[in-house]
């Protein structure tokens, strides 16, 4: 193998109570895509933050273009040709797309005036390259989460770096956006850029990467060529053991009718009707943008609907706010954990019990002992990697934050639990733990709506599956009838076209 352009050697890094990196190593090669893999909390993001100088290292060495380096911060590493797309978005919604891309290095004339037309033109070139159909002058906040992620990617491209680190870049992207990103990655590879690609999606790793480095508990475990490995051995390297059946569906006796939605319509969806029994998992499949999240938010009370009704155990309920949703025992776990789920500055405990303070109170007094007990139970149940319940949630790894978000919903003891892309950013082992928990609550009679873009997940977990296309239900299948082809056809609206043809 050729000489690496970047070598991270025997890196150690501790935070109070946490050994995040414990002899981590990584090589990056020009013109190649290196996957960095490992379970939630394995140290992937931390290693990249040590590289770019966001964190200082306790021990270890970094060699870049054969010279030992130590960057003082992202600006410094950027000037040297290393840019990073962070796992959590770092953009300003109030500014335009172009301003976000060129933040802090606006193109100015000799008098320090911003040259808007030049800046917009350069931004346009980047957006075109990524196939983003928005004007550079548009406010970032008006874009979908996936489109904002594309802007973050455009920003990284604008530096014309020798190395680009991508930390779970496709998490919020649609299939089309992912395809555009992969085209650009292939171009960058051909131009000789070295890429570090972090993702929990094995399919993507095998599609776009050349080599794989695995970390476990902050330790370097192995470096392999993608062509010389397969999914099973990769999982074994990451988890340290073999995993059997990934989607453990359990059969449970359906109870009585729990939720019923009748002819619900809004600007985002049209005439939606379905039922959900106690102890049933209803999968909702479809492409991003099909209206699934909007429908779920309407049922929970976070978005208005214009007509139709929602019934809980046979009674029509009013859900004009999330508070009313919760009062009717409907909990919704958002797909956007940072934007509208967790409060990053609060502790694990405060986040988890945020929606359950009423249940945890006695005569208007919060029962602190009960709160602590419940929170510690969930930390244990979900195997959440945190030094304590009082850790600031922003310091947890992405996947562990996601587990807290799910625990927060469960803690309200809902009758209907709506999970919107619950395993996004969650590693293979933890995914299975989450599935097993969902099954446990299902067997206790909880009704679950599972919105997911991952076909195997919907197929493997649901008792019944609805597919949405452009705001309408385009198909309904029992677990037995459903397969990937049928769901795909409905997700693309093909069956609708057949019907009308
Ligand atoms: N600023 C911080 N303060 C305290 N602990 C931290 C901080 N940043 C990371 N950690 C801890 O370091 C460990 C490694 O976290 P890191 O975010 O690098 O994991 P990761 O491999 O990126 O996981 P994921 O796949 O979930 O994103 C975790 O236990 C995390 O809680
Ligand atoms: Mg991470």
């Amino acid at each position: 193998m050729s000489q690496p352009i970047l070598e991270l050697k025997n890196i150690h890094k501790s935070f109070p109570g946490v050994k995040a990196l414990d002899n981590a190593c990584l090589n990056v090669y020009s013109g190649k895509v290196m996957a960095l893999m490992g379970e939630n909390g394995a140290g992937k993001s931390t290693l990249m933050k040590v590289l770019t100088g966001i964190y200082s290292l306790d021990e270890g060495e970094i060699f870049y273009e054969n010279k030992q380096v130590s960057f003082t911060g992202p600006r410094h590493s950027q000037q040297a040709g290393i840019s990073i797309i962070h796992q959590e978005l770092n953009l300003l919604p109030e500014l335009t797309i172009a301003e976000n891309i060129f933040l802090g290095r606006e193109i100015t004339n000799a008098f320090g005036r911003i040259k808007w037309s030049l800046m917009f033109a350069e931004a346009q070139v980047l957006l075109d390259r990524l196939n983003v159909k928005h004007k550079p002058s548009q406010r970032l906040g008006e874009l979908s989460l996936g489109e904002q992620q594309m802007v973050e990617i455009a920003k990284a491209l604008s530096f014309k770096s020798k190395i680009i680190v991508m930390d779970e870049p496709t998490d919020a992207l649609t299939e089309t956006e992912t395809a555009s990103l992969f085209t650009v990655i292939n171009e960058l590879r051909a131009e000789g850029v070295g890429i570090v690609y972090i993702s929990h999606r094995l399919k993507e790793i095998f599609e776009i990467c050349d080599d794989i480095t695995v970390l476990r508990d902050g330790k370097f475990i192995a470096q392999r060529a993608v062509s010389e490995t397969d999914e099973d051995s990769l999982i074994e390297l990451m988890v340290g053991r073999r995993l059997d059946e990934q989607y453990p569906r359990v059969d449970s006796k359906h109870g009585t009718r729990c939720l019923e939605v009748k002819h619900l319509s809004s600007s985002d969806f049209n005439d939606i009707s379905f039922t959900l029994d106690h102890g049933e998992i209803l999968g909702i499949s479809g492409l991003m943008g099909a209206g699934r999240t909007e429908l779920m938010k309407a049922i929970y009370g976070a978005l208005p609907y214009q007509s139709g009704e929602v019934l809980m155990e046979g009674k029509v309920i009013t859900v004009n706010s999330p508070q009313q949703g919760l009062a009717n025992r409907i909990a919704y776990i958002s797909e956007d954990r940072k934007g509208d789920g967790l409060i990053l500055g609060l502790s694990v405990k405060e986040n988890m019990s945020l929606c359950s303070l009423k249940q945890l109170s006695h005569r208007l007094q919060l029962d602190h002992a009960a709160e602590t007990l419940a929170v510690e139970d969930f930390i244990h149940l979900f195997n959440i990697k945190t030094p304590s319940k009082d850790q600031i949630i922003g310091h947890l790894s992405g996947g562990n934050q996601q587990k807290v978000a799910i625990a927060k919903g469960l803690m309200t003891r809902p009758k209907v639990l709506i999970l919107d892309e619950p395993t996004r950013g969650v590693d293979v082992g933890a995914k299975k733990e989450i599935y097993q928990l969902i099954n446990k609550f299902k067997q206790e009679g909880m009704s679950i709506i599972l919105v997911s873009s991952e076909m195997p997940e919907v197929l493997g977990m649901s008792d019944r599956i609805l597919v949405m296309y452009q705001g309408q239900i385009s198909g309904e299948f029992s677990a037995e009838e459903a397969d990937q082809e049928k769901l795909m056809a409905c997700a693309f609206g093909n069956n609708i076209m057949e019907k009308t043809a």
Side-chain angles (χ1 to χ4, degrees):
M1 196 167 244
S2 61
Q3 187 64 21
I5 176 170
L6 176 74
E7 282 175 276
L8 297 158
K9 284 187 166 168
N10 313 101
I11 309 287
H12 293 251
K13 174 75 190 171
S14 291
F15 298 107
V18 189
K19 195 150 189 26
L21 297 173
D22 182 15
N23 202 31
C25 303
L26 177 71
N27 294 328
V28 183
Y29 304 88
S30 293
K32 295 214 162 183
V33 184
M34 173 63 82
L36 180 57
M37 305 209 62
E39 293 183 280
N40 296 133
K44 306 178 293 292
S45 298
T46 304
L47 187 61
M48 293 303 98
K49 287 177 185 166
V50 165
L51 164 66
T52 48
I54 296 172
Y55 296 147
S56 60
L57 47 78
D58 298 342
E59 248 181 81
E61 292 170 320
I62 303 176
F63 291 92
Y64 176 53
E65 297 184 310
N66 295 320
K67 282 193 280 292
Q68 187 162 0
V69 292
S70 158
F71 299 118
T72 53
R75 262 173 195 261
H76 188 192
S77 52
Q78 223 142 50
Q79 281 158 6
I82 302 175
S83 58
I84 179 164
I85 302 163
H86 285 287
Q87 187 168 9
E88 311 290 348
L89 291 177
N90 287 299
L91 301 172
L92 301 169
E94 295 307 320
L95 299 186
T96 63
I97 295 178
E99 286 170 306
N100 268 291
I101 293 177
F102 294 105
L103 194 68
R105 50 191 179 104
E106 288 81 2
I107 306 171
T108 50
N109 64 16
F111 307 104
R113 279 248 177 82
I114 295 180
K115 291 175 155 178
W116 288 104
S117 53
L118 193 61
M119 218 165 85
F120 282 160
E122 290 216 3
Q124 188 67 57
V125 172
L126 292 166
L127 295 181
D128 287 345
R129 185 167 185 195
L130 286 163
N131 242 322
V132 178
K133 305 270 180 267
H134 285 289
K135 288 265 150 292
S137 55
Q138 196 168 346
R139 227 171 46 86
L140 185 91
E142 291 163 10
L143 274 55
S144 74
L145 201 59
E147 291 164 342
Q148 295 190 22
Q149 179 70 48
M150 291 304 261
V151 172
E152 180 99 45
I153 294 167
K155 183 173 180 170
L157 292 180
S158 74
F159 293 106
K160 305 194 173 61
S161 305
K162 292 182 191 163
I163 292 177
I164 301 183
V165 177
M166 305 186 178
D167 198 348
E168 306 199 29
T170 57
D171 248 21
L173 299 190
T174 62
E175 307 244 338
T176 335
E177 286 165 344
T178 302
S180 305
L181 173 63
F182 282 10
T183 309
V184 171
I185 292 181
N186 281 324
E187 290 168 9
L188 293 170
R189 177 183 4 226
E191 290 163 17
V193 175
I195 294 170
V196 181
Y197 191 85
I198 303 179
S199 173
H200 291 290
R201 301 183 176 174
L202 296 176
K203 203 176 119 247
E204 292 181 358
I205 301 295
F206 284 91
E207 186 177 337
I208 199 76
C209 299
D210 301 292
D211 304 285
I212 302 174
T213 297
V214 177
L215 297 182
R216 195 194 310 146
D217 298 326
K219 290 182 180 62
F220 171 81
I221 299 294
Q223 179 183 326
R224 296 274 150 79
V226 166
S227 56
E228 283 159 21
T229 188
D230 58 34
E231 284 201 9
D232 282 345
S233 39
L234 186 57
I235 291 173
E236 202 173 338
L237 286 174
M238 287 191 289
V239 186
R241 66 192 147 83
R242 282 197 167 268
L243 278 189
D244 40 6
E245 191 25 345
Q246 179 68 5
Y247 303 100
R249 183 183 25 240
V250 295
D251 287 319
S252 78
K253 260 209 334 273
H254 281 207
T256 49
R257 178 69 30 91
C258 180
L259 185 79
E260 186 162 4
V261 171
K262 281 188 182 170
H263 307 294
L264 215 60
S265 294
S266 85
S267 51
D268 297 306
F269 49 84
N270 185 21
D271 195 21
I272 304 281
S273 299
F274 67 86
T275 62
L276 175 66
D277 292 341
H278 285 286
E280 185 183 27
I281 299 184
L282 178 66
I284 312 260
S285 184
L287 302 177
M288 280 192 219
R292 297 170 304 164
T293 293
E294 291 78 9
L295 173 63
M296 293 308 131
K297 285 192 169 171
I299 295 172
Y300 169 64
L303 281 179
Y305 51 87
Q306 267 104 48
S307 59
E309 49 192 23
V310 180
L311 289 82
M312 178 64 109
E313 293 172 339
K315 285 196 223 38
V316 177
I317 55 170
T318 328
V319 274
N320 291 328
S321 67
Q323 287 74 15
Q324 284 179 337
L326 277 175
N328 283 294
R329 313 273 301 273
I330 302 173
Y332 170 76
I333 309 300
S334 170
E335 58 175 342
D336 175 12
R337 62 171 173 261
K338 191 177 175 188
D340 83 301
L342 301 172
I343 303 174
L344 294 185
L346 293 184
S347 70
V348 170
K349 179 175 93 173
E350 288 161 320
N351 269 288
M352 226 191 256
S353 59
L354 201 62
C355 292
S356 315
L357 296 176
K358 218 168 169 181
Q359 283 105 310
L360 291 168
S361 295
H362 186 65
R363 292 198 188 134
L364 296 176
Q365 278 281 327
L366 180 61
D367 182 344
H368 289 283
E371 184 192 18
T372 297
L373 207 65
V375 169
E376 281 179 347
D377 263 359
F378 274 108
I379 290 178
H380 180 71
L381 204 62
F382 273 76
N383 205 358
I384 296 171
K385 205 171 164 197
T386 175
S388 89
K389 63 180 187 334
D390 300 312
Q391 177 76 311
I392 299 296
I393 196 142
H395 291 171
L396 260 55
S397 80
N400 282 293
Q401 291 181 14
Q402 182 62 17
K403 292 188 193 177
V404 175
I406 298 177
K408 175 183 163 198
L410 280 171
M411 208 177 227
T412 65
R413 310 219 152 274
K415 285 180 179 163
V416 176
L417 177 68
I418 305 175
L419 298 165
D420 199 347
E421 305 285 353
T423 60
R424 192 177 273 172
V426 171
D427 72 55
V428 276
K431 260 187 190 171
K432 189 165 175 195
E433 289 167 13
I434 291 177
Y435 297 142
Q436 280 167 335
L437 282 166
I438 294 176
N439 281 336
K440 175 173 173 288
F441 289 100
K442 167 188 177 179
Q443 283 173 308
E444 290 171 7
M446 192 182 284
S447 305
I448 290 149
I449 300 181
L450 174 65
V451 179
S452 173
S453 304
E454 276 189 54
M455 296 266 174
E457 176 169 292
V458 179
L459 285 166
M461 291 297 293
S462 317
D463 299 304
R464 205 152 45 89
I465 301 171
L466 299 179
V467 189
M468 281 184 74
Y469 169 72
Q470 293 190 348
Q472 286 179 308
I473 293 179
S474 58
E476 174 170 354
F477 303 95
S478 68
E480 296 76 41
E481 345 170 77
D483 63 33
Q484 197 135 344
E485 285 71 42
K486 288 181 190 161
L487 295 192
M488 273 301 215
C490 294
F492 283 100
N494 289 350
N495 60 324
I496 291 181
M497 290 194 287
E498 268 166 39
K499 266 189 227 160
T500 51

